[in-house]
Amino acid sequence: MDSKAHWETIYKTKLPEEVSWFQREATVSLALIQRITKDTSSPIIDVGGGTSRFIDGLLAAGYSKVSILDLASTALAEARLRLGPAGAGVTWIEADVLEADLPQAGFDVWHDRAVFHFLTTRADHARYIAQVRRAVRPGGYVMIATFAHDGPTHCSGLPVARYTPHTLHHEFGSGFRLVDSVREEHLTPSGARQAYVYCLCQVQATASTNCSI
């Protein structure tokens, strides 16, 4: 089964509130967003947004230029139905993040909770980071949340990579200045605890600028 078919099946067979990564409120992500940009007209992309309630929080906080990218049309359709008229101004992108035709320097903030850790090869890491470099303007921010080093080894039937703040930042390397990292103890709908790590980085104007943790 290819990636798109896999995720379409997940969203067709589970309610949004049943997937393990479900959050009623994306409190960590929203707090970091509001910390780095008070300008509610800043363009923000949520990668792998699916049926996440993160978009609800952004819209409620007044952010008006929001894009959601997901591989699964089923997930995007569910989110659009849930939001109703409130989502009229949202840009919906059905695509694989590794192949999506995203606008160059089109976003001030790139948000990804629980996509990057499904990429387990060096080639896919390189393609993902190339997309980030192209799509986020210099001075913009990249927020990536993955399973922590002591988090699950598999999710939704797939192997995942696990990270510390240091190893996650190292994947992006030069050109990304680490601003902050946050650990989250996520409680799944089934009652299991999963450890996540969030890394917030700022895209530097030149690729030669590096940051060590």
Side-chain angles (χ1 to χ4, degrees):
M1 184 182 294
D2 65 22
S3 293
K4 180 173 176 58
H6 177 85
W7 292 110
E8 293 287 7
T9 298
I10 292 291
Y11 284 109
K12 286 176 180 176
T13 56
K14 291 190 176 185
L15 295 173
E17 297 82 5
E18 293 176 333
V19 295
S20 63
W21 54 89
F22 172 74
Q23 295 177 304
R24 294 200 178 277
E25 293 184 70
T27 53
V28 175
S29 293
L30 286 169
L32 289 171
I33 291 286
Q34 291 179 308
R35 171 182 161 188
I36 59 178
T37 178
K38 303 296 185 183
D39 181 0
T40 55
S41 66
S42 293
I44 300 170
I45 185 168
D46 184 20
V47 173
T51 58
S52 168
R53 303 287 178 90
F54 175 56
I55 179 64
D56 305 56
L58 286 176
L59 295 175
Y63 292 95
S64 58
K65 293 183 179 178
V66 180
S67 299
I68 300 182
L69 181 151
D70 202 279
L71 189 60
S73 60
T74 304
L76 295 176
E78 179 67 33
R80 294 181 78 161
L81 181 64
R82 184 187 73 240
L83 288 170
V90 174
T91 299
W92 305 90
I93 306 169
E94 180 188 340
D96 183 333
V97 64
L98 302 182
E99 301 174 354
D101 184 15
L102 300 174
Q104 186 166 359
F107 301 101
D108 288 350
V109 181
W110 175 291
H111 175 268
D112 165 3
R113 181 180 180 270
V115 172
F116 189 74
H117 61 206
F118 284 107
L119 305 179
T120 57
T121 70
R122 300 303 305 171
D124 282 350
H125 288 181
R127 292 170 69 194
Y128 183 102
I129 293 165
Q131 286 283 62
V132 174
R133 287 187 182 279
R134 181 178 183 278
V136 182
R137 66 167 179 80
Y141 292 88
V142 181
M143 189 190 312
I144 308 289
T146 70
F147 286 134
H149 71 283
D150 54 342
T153 59
H154 288 74
C155 181
S156 298
L158 298 174
V160 297
R162 300 181 296 174
Y163 295 94
T164 65
H166 176 82
T167 59
L168 182 52
H169 176 255
H170 181 74
E171 290 293 331
F172 287 78
S174 63
F176 295 87
R177 180 179 68 86
L178 183 68
V179 176
D180 201 0
S181 63
V182 177
R183 180 182 170 92
E184 177 187 47
E185 296 292 334
H186 170 63
L187 187 66
T188 72
S190 65
R193 290 194 175 275
Q194 296 178 337
Y196 278 78
V197 59
Y198 291 69
C199 275
L200 174 65
C201 292
Q202 187 173 32
V203 179
Q204 302 299 280
T206 62
S208 61
T209 303
N210 201 357
C211 171
S212 59
I213 302 173

